């Protein structure tokens, strides 16, 4: 695959290959830290005597902050560049991870788990970095390698952290295992700043004309953009409800009302920011060369909702699913079996990007989302009577389509509008977390089988939405600081 695409992944002397490797490993560490709690949840549940509802609340909290964080990080990346932002994120998340590892109450566990959702925004940063270094004919495969090998961090954590906790031993073994991941992430943040560069030598790093929201190129797209922001706020409102006295009672009823009020105020503030970014060029008109169709962004958001959103949800619940479905499994074995879902990231996501580069971007995405729907239908049929190896194979087959679909989504994202790649990736990534919150919230009300069927149904709907996706073609135009127009090929 690498040779036929002109990508020699062992050629460290090539600056773009070096950049790809140091960047996917940064993403790998963010996923280790972000999902370090999942394989250790059995130990955490025992240490704090947590109820099942409290455990499910932690799972939802883990993905909640990532929704606004990916939007914010996308803006910061476009403005300041991925080198500085990735380094800062890794070092900050290191401290939060250590806070979670030393938590002494369920309230502090919940707070630090909520804050650790910020580390999940790391994915957005590398999308812009890789998009800067690779041409359109290779960007799908390169983004797939970045995303797939980085996403493998959750599988690596599931395979190693329970054993590491047992090696440390004692009641606090899980704490030492978690803390170690945070320390490693912080040290790598320093290294990344020293090694990485935002663009190839001589290239321009294009920045948005204004910060605060995506630039759109028609009034219809402006209203469409505002509408697409609503589900992100609804997901956060649903989370607040889950934490209210009607859920796990982490928030009082008055605090819940305050949270809802803040979300309404934040939506109004964001709407004003988006209008400030767009009002001048919408009044004056946008040159034909600089136009793009926001519909493309919206469809990619929905595709990532069901691909990455379902992966986050399933990775969070799969160890417990295996533990409760099959008798006689230990927590370590359940974690190892569940790691098969994320394990496929190593090959699936790059394969999805490769298919997109070679076979057509819309066709590849639709095929993979269709396969995902079938895969989740099969998972909904698993029960205690299944042969465990057959259940693991079904899980891995489903995960191939899930993660290859993610690769196909982000094979398109860098080709929509270069100077806003961080924000477009941030919005798509946020929709992935909206999907995770949606599916995990559903899980708290339904059985495992019904949970998988809900994802299957969502995938079927989004499969048809992809019929309206347009293939990137020709060039995207970016304006240099001196006013010169530069055309960037997307074919």
């Amino acid at each position: 695959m690498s040779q036929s695409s002109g990508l020699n992944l062992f050629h460290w002397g090539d600056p773009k290959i070096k950049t790809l490797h140091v960047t996917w490993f940064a993403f790998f560490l963010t996923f280790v830290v972000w999902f370090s709690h999942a394989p250790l949840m059995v130990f955490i549940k025992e240490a704090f005597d947590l109820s099942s509802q409290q455990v499910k609340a932690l799972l939802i909290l883990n993905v909640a902050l990532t929704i606004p964080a990916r939007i914010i990080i996308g803006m910061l990346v476009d403005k300041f560049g991925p080198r500085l932002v990735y380094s800062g994120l890794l070092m900050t998340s290191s401290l939060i991870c250590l806070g979670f590892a030393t938590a002494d109450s369920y309230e502090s566990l919940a707070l630090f788990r909520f804050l650790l959702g910020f580390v999940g925004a790391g994915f957005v940063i590398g999308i812009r970095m890789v998009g800067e270094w690779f041409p359109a004919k290779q960007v799908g495969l390169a983004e797939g390698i970045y995303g797939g090998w980085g996403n493998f961090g959750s599988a690596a954590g599931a395979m190693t952290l329970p054993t590491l906790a047992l090696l440390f031993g004692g009641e606090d073994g899980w704490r030492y295992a978690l803390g170690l991941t945070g320390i490693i992430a912080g040290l790598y943040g320093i290294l990344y700043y020293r090694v990485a560069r935002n663009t190839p030598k001589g290239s321009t790093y294009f920045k948005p004309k204004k910060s605060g929201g995506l630039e759109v190129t028609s009034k219809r797209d402006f209203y469409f953009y505002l509408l697409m922001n609503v589900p992100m706020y609804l997901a956060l409102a649903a989370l607040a409800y889950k934490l209210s006295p009607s859920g796990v009672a982490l928030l009082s009823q008055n605090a819940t009302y305050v949270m809802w009020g803040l979300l309404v105020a934040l939506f109004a503030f964001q709407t004003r920011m988006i209008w400030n970014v767009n009002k001048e060029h919408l009044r004056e008109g946008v040159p034909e060369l600089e136009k793009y169709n926001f519909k493309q962004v919206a469809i990619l958001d929905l595709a990532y909702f069901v691909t990455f959103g379902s992966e986050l949800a399933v990775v969070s619940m799969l160890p417990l699913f295996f533990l409760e479905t099959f008798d006689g499994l230990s927590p370590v074995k359940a974690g190892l079996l569940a790691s098969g879902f994320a394990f496929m990231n190593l090959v699936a996501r790059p394969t999805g990007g490769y298919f997109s580069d070679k076979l057509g971007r819309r066709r590849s995405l639709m095929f993979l989302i269709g396969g995902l729907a079938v895969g989740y239908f099969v998972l909904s049929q698993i029960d205690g009577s299944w042969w465990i190896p057959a259940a693991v194979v079904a899980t891995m087959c489903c995960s191939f389509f899930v993660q290859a679909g993610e690769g196909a989504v982000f094979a398109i994202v860098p080709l929509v509008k270069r100077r806003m790649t961080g924000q477009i990736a941030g919005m798509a990534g946020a929709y992935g977390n909206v999907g995770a919150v949606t599916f995990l919230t559903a899980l708290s009300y339904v059985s495992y089988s019904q949970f998988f069927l809900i994802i299957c149904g969502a995938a079927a709907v989004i499969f048809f939405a992809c019929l309206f996706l347009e293939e990137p073609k020709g060039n995207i135009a970016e304006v240099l600081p001196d006013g010169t127009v530069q055309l960037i090929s997307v074919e």
Side-chain angles (χ1 to χ4, degrees):
M1 186 188 296
S2 301
Q3 290 178 352
S4 62
S5 303
L7 228 61
N8 181 356
L9 297 176
F10 300 102
H11 187 198
W12 275 83
D14 184 342
K16 69 176 181 288
I17 298 298
K18 176 184 173 184
T19 299
L20 177 60
H21 283 305
V22 298
T23 303
W24 77 252
F25 192 71
F27 180 37
F28 174 92
L29 287 177
T30 65
F31 248 63
V32 171
V33 170
W34 191 16
F35 282 97
S36 56
H37 69 302
L40 298 174
M41 191 57 76
V42 174
F43 300 104
I44 297 170
K45 185 178 181 180
E46 183 180 344
F48 288 88
D49 192 25
L50 304 181
S51 68
S52 294
Q53 284 301 312
Q54 285 177 315
V55 169
K56 289 178 179 178
L58 285 179
L59 299 183
I60 299 172
L61 280 169
N62 191 55
V63 297
L65 188 61
T66 317
I67 297 172
R70 287 188 166 187
I71 301 294
I72 295 166
I73 288 293
M75 293 178 186
L76 293 176
V77 170
D78 287 341
K79 185 174 180 64
F80 297 108
R83 175 193 178 211
L84 177 64
V85 179
Y86 229 150
S87 300
L89 182 75
L90 284 165
M91 288 186 277
T92 303
S93 62
S94 171
L95 299 176
I96 301 172
C97 182
L98 289 172
F100 182 78
T102 55
D104 58 2
S105 67
Y106 178 67
E107 289 72 22
S108 55
L109 268 182
L111 173 63
F112 284 114
R113 205 66 247 168
F114 174 68
L115 293 176
L116 270 171
F118 209 85
V119 75
F123 168 69
V124 173
I125 308 170
I127 291 295
R128 177 78 197 247
M129 177 69 96
V130 174
E132 291 289 333
W133 281 86
F134 287 86
K137 64 183 179 181
Q138 295 178 332
V139 76
L141 177 58
E143 296 284 15
I145 291 169
Y146 163 72
W149 293 7
N151 265 3
F152 183 69
S154 62
M159 289 188 292
T160 59
L161 289 177
T163 303
L164 194 59
L166 292 174
L167 288 175
F168 277 118
E171 294 181 356
D172 293 331
W174 64 272
R175 295 183 185 274
Y176 295 122
L178 281 168
L180 183 60
T181 65
I183 292 169
I184 293 171
L187 293 175
Y188 193 78
I190 298 170
L191 178 66
Y192 191 81
Y193 186 79
R194 293 178 61 89
V195 173
R197 294 294 178 268
N198 287 331
T199 62
K201 190 175 182 180
S203 295
T204 303
Y205 189 80
F206 294 104
K207 299 181 180 181
K209 296 171 185 175
K210 292 182 178 179
S211 296
L214 278 175
E215 298 168 29
V216 293
T217 54
S218 72
K219 288 183 179 178
R220 183 186 66 180
D221 281 356
F222 173 77
Y223 292 113
F224 193 5
Y225 178 24
L226 293 184
L227 181 64
M228 287 298 291
N229 279 318
V230 172
M232 293 186 274
Y233 288 92
L234 290 178
L236 292 170
L239 171 67
Y241 176 78
K242 186 66 182 172
L243 301 178
S244 74
S246 301
V248 294
L250 261 180
L251 297 177
S252 68
Q253 195 61 57
N254 286 338
T256 305
Y257 291 143
V258 169
M259 287 288 292
W260 286 339
L262 286 173
L263 288 173
V264 172
L266 187 59
F267 178 73
F269 175 74
Q270 187 189 20
T271 300
R272 182 175 178 80
M273 292 285 288
I274 292 169
W275 173 243
N276 288 338
V277 167
N278 287 284
K279 60 184 178 182
E280 289 181 18
H281 66 258
L282 287 182
R283 285 169 179 165
E284 297 170 2
V286 179
E288 196 64 34
L289 196 63
E290 288 195 49
K291 287 186 176 180
Y292 78 99
N293 197 334
F294 181 77
K295 175 183 71 176
Q296 304 290 85
V297 179
I299 294 171
L300 294 172
D301 291 347
L302 293 175
Y304 212 59
F305 172 96
V306 78
T307 53
F308 187 63
S310 68
E311 182 186 355
L312 280 186
V314 172
V315 164
S316 297
M317 55 72 73
L318 208 54
L320 282 177
F321 169 71
F322 275 108
L323 200 62
E324 294 176 15
T325 302
F326 298 104
D327 295 331
L329 286 182
S330 68
V332 172
K333 283 185 179 179
L336 286 172
L337 293 176
S339 69
F341 195 92
F343 188 88
M344 290 301 292
N345 269 302
L346 283 174
V347 293
R349 198 155 179 164
T351 301
Y354 179 76
F355 283 171
S356 193
D357 287 343
K358 297 298 180 182
L359 304 177
R361 303 195 188 276
R362 184 178 69 174
R363 182 189 308 165
S364 299
L365 184 58
M366 291 184 69
F367 169 73
L368 294 167
I369 289 180
L372 176 158
V374 174
Y376 278 118
F377 178 78
V378 173
L379 292 193
S380 73
Q381 306 303 304
I382 295 176
D383 58 31
S385 67
W386 274 52
W387 187 41
I388 292 178
V392 173
V393 169
T395 299
M396 294 180 74
C397 288
C398 178
S399 71
F400 173 84
F401 285 98
V402 172
Q403 291 142 17
E406 295 163 11
V409 169
F410 276 92
I412 304 173
V413 165
L415 306 179
V416 177
K417 199 68 178 169
R418 175 61 62 85
R419 70 174 177 268
M420 297 187 297
T421 295
Q423 291 179 78
I424 294 170
M427 190 169 185
Y431 256 81
N433 283 82
V434 171
V437 171
T438 302
F439 297 136
L440 285 172
T441 300
L443 176 62
S444 65
Y445 296 104
V446 301
S447 67
Y448 289 125
S449 177
Q450 292 169 325
F451 165 76
F452 290 127
L453 284 174
I454 287 170
I455 302 174
C456 171
V461 172
I462 292 166
F463 172 86
F464 288 105
C466 289
L467 287 169
F468 300 95
L469 184 69
E470 298 167 7
E471 288 276 334
K473 58 185 178 180
N475 301 286
I476 50 176
E478 295 292 358
V479 181
L480 293 165
D482 63 2
T484 306
V485 175
Q486 181 173 323
L487 298 178
I488 302 168
S489 173
V490 295
E491 294 184 0

